[in-house]
Amino acid sequence: MFDSDSSDAHPVFSPDYRIKRLSCTSWILGIAILVCALAVSAAEPASPPEYEFELKEVWIPMPDGMRLAADLYLPIGGTPTQKYPVILEYDPYIKNESRPGRFPIYSYFAARGYIVARVDIRGTGSSEGRLVPHEYSDQELDDGEHIIDWLSKQPLSNGNIGMFGISWSGFNAIQLAVRQPPALKTIISVCATEDLYQDDVHYIDGVMHVDSFEIFQDIYNALPGPPGYVIDQEYFDNRFDTEPWMLTYKGEQRDGPFWDRASARDKYASIRIPSFHIGGWYDGYRDSLPRMLENLEAPVKAMIGPWIHTWPNEPYPEPGMEWRHEAVRWFDQWLKGRDTGIMDEPAFAVYVRDWHPPGPYLDYAPGHWRYEDGWPVNRIRNRAYYPQRDHGLSTKPSTAVEHRLRYKASNGVEAGGPVMWWGDVAHDQRPTDAYSLVYDSEVLPEKMEILGFPRALLKFSVDAPQANWIVRLSDVAPDGTVTQITGAGFNGTHRKSARSPEAIIPGEVFSLDVEMHFTSWVFPKGHRIRFAVSNAQWPMMWPTPYLMTSSLYLGPDDNTRILLPVVPRGEERTPSFLAVTENRQLEDYVSLETDTSSGYGEVETVTRDVRNGDAVAVATSGSATKFPWGIQSTRERIEHKTSDEHPESTSVNGVYEIKWELEDRVLLLEGRSVFSSDMENFYLEYTRRLSENGKLVRERKWSKTLARDHQ
């Protein structure tokens, strides 16, 4: 079947394990649905679910002798000589432990005639070797090219490889497409970006950011491989004792070569294979979709729906859609050579968002699907709105006036949302707006739709050498509730270049052109448009260290304004996407507990000391899952602290724990991080601790001082 360089391909499931195909009745019904959905097209329908499949574990050899661990979902039931395309997901999220979450996707593809390969990155999960030095390293991508080549040469493979994945595996699918390995014929990237500095979670909009991901990732990197969880000297040398990645990321505070290495933002021409990009309006990586549509010369499609950082077949919020059916049509087109008609359809499917009240929770996002030919959309026109002397927002310029704003470092909790990034569903904005410059339009006489990147063209000064500006666009309902639509931050020292930051000259007047994050919204008749400006969005963005007052200049000469990408009314083309048809589950894998919808730490409490201006925000999460070999539970608590009187003294104190209750022992892995600042420096103290049956086995500590580099 598939070759391996070792006969001890470590099966977790018995050799007789089979996942049966759908019943005859379900299969006929499924085909009927597909045929009806595609009846308008003369093209072939997507491959039907006609295969049984098995899961096999194999080793993939690397040139240096290390072996990477792979799960292969192999179709069964074809002819003796039949070969299949292979689709690869490649990340460090421990393939054995993530099987229950991925099974609904892998089983869908395997039943339709695809070999699905899931591979643990070197030094993670069950793979051998020393942990890679950071995300998207040369080692990771070099190994990725060898994986693709190996998969293409296996007996059951037809030689055509596709990549797909969400988040990390969506990122490296783009990055490997840039490298052009010969067997890689197409990719599908979900909730990912090609810009590692501005868009990712280490520096959001060029501003220092610390959240649960960095601590979570460090602990998972330090886990021994399942299901054996062997604790030996090799494990200590290659995983437990390796330097935390945070030490690297927090030292790279400006854009430059470190972030360029794997970013595709300046390498669009190198992507010469077809690519399909999927995102969500409540995900922080959505900006990449229109950029890909606009800049790629190879065939490209994109889709954006009403989801957070998740798969559209398991959406939050609803409604979901059967993206896997669209993925099969895409892979059939480029890996099986079947004309499915998918390239005859418009390039961009957009879920147009209607108004909803503020969060932080939203079960269903109202709206509808619409096709667009691509990006940019030619019929969209920018409409200028000007902040006014009386804090109105008008289509006519203001008279000259200076509006001053005192910096409040602890402002912005509501604007960051529960996970503290430009994703998820944000709270009512009124508490954040109370410490912002706010400008409201008149009541809208009719509904108005926007789609794209709103821009704020502003003229500022500040009485300090460093300041951040945050701009936000919101919808004010007749009852006064304020729903955030989009926004963006801007590091003022990056006003000329994020690669060569410069201190601000106190009192100097300068202009900023701030592009807000990609959005869709329909303002209802009777609502108002709100534009707000502030200097803080804590705890999402690290506060600047100086007490200060900034000034925003309005008037016909200053031409301060926002530009909204307004969509005129007209006829619409509506996709015929299928509803989610199945989410098959693995037996013996049972979710026992999930604290948050995102799976990450979410802000739970905020406390303020009104005497001294100190503020503390606590984010928590937890989960428990039963696996065939034991029970895993996780606990996370992150305490963010800042001070309005001393914003230089900001800190994040995080604790992440993973406990494994195995048949013969209990393992506990703990990561504790204290990241803090003063006027000149950042300080990182990190402790990694491993216990077995309540007894400490090993502990490592790291401490590092990093100069503040315009952060």
Side-chain angles (χ1 to χ4, degrees), residues 105-270:
I105 298 168
Y106 298 170
S107 63
Y108 191 98
F109 294 148
R112 288 157 175 81
Y114 287 91
I115 297 168
V116 183
R118 172 68 182 275
V119 181
D120 285 337
I121 285 172
R122 178 185 294 248
T124 70
S126 298
S127 286
E128 296 178 343
R130 185 174 178 81
L131 176 70
V132 291
H134 47 70
E135 300 165 329
Y136 322 123
S137 65
D138 287 343
Q139 181 70 71
E140 172 188 337
L141 299 180
D142 288 346
D143 287 349
E145 292 195 59
H146 293 301
I147 293 167
I148 290 167
D149 181 65
W150 186 88
L151 290 170
S152 73
K153 294 175 180 176
Q154 298 309 296
L156 282 179
S157 171
N158 73 356
N160 293 330
I161 311 301
M163 287 189 74
F164 81 105
I166 187 171
S167 199
W168 189 307
S169 49
F171 279 59
N172 67 21
I174 295 170
Q175 294 156 9
L176 280 161
V178 169
R179 286 188 165 214
Q180 303 174 16
L184 183 62
K185 299 302 194 302
T186 188
I187 65 169
I188 297 179
S189 177
V190 182
C191 294
T193 181
E194 85 288 25
D195 189 334
L196 296 185
Y197 182 69
Q198 295 286 349
D199 273 9
D200 204 1
V201 296
H202 307 296
Y203 297 90
I204 294 180
D205 298 333
V207 180
M208 176 73 74
H209 173 77
V210 178
D211 70 3
S212 72
F213 172 78
E214 289 177 315
I215 305 172
F216 147 86
Q217 188 59 56
D218 177 80
I219 291 304
Y220 271 84
N221 287 345
L223 270 176
Y229 301 99
V230 175
I231 307 297
D232 58 13
Q233 190 60 46
E234 182 180 359
Y235 159 70
F236 292 136
D237 292 343
N238 287 336
R239 296 196 187 184
F240 189 89
D241 293 346
T242 59
E243 186 175 88
W245 290 354
M246 277 185 72
L247 294 176
T248 298
Y249 301 141
K250 299 314 176 191
E252 299 288 345
Q253 297 171 36
R254 61 176 70 186
D255 204 354
F258 178 80
W259 306 104
D260 293 342
R261 63 189 154 59
S263 292
R265 60 193 174 187
D266 59 346
K267 306 178 184 73
Y268 296 114
S270 296

Side-chain angles (χ1 to χ4, degrees), residues 88-111:
L88 164 68
E89 186 174 20
Y90 175 48
D91 63 31
Y93 298 141
I94 310 180
K95 65 179 181 62
N96 297 56
E97 295 183 7
S98 58
R99 279 179 186 146
R102 293 300 200 261
F103 184 72
I105 298 168
Y106 298 170
S107 63
Y108 191 98
F109 294 148

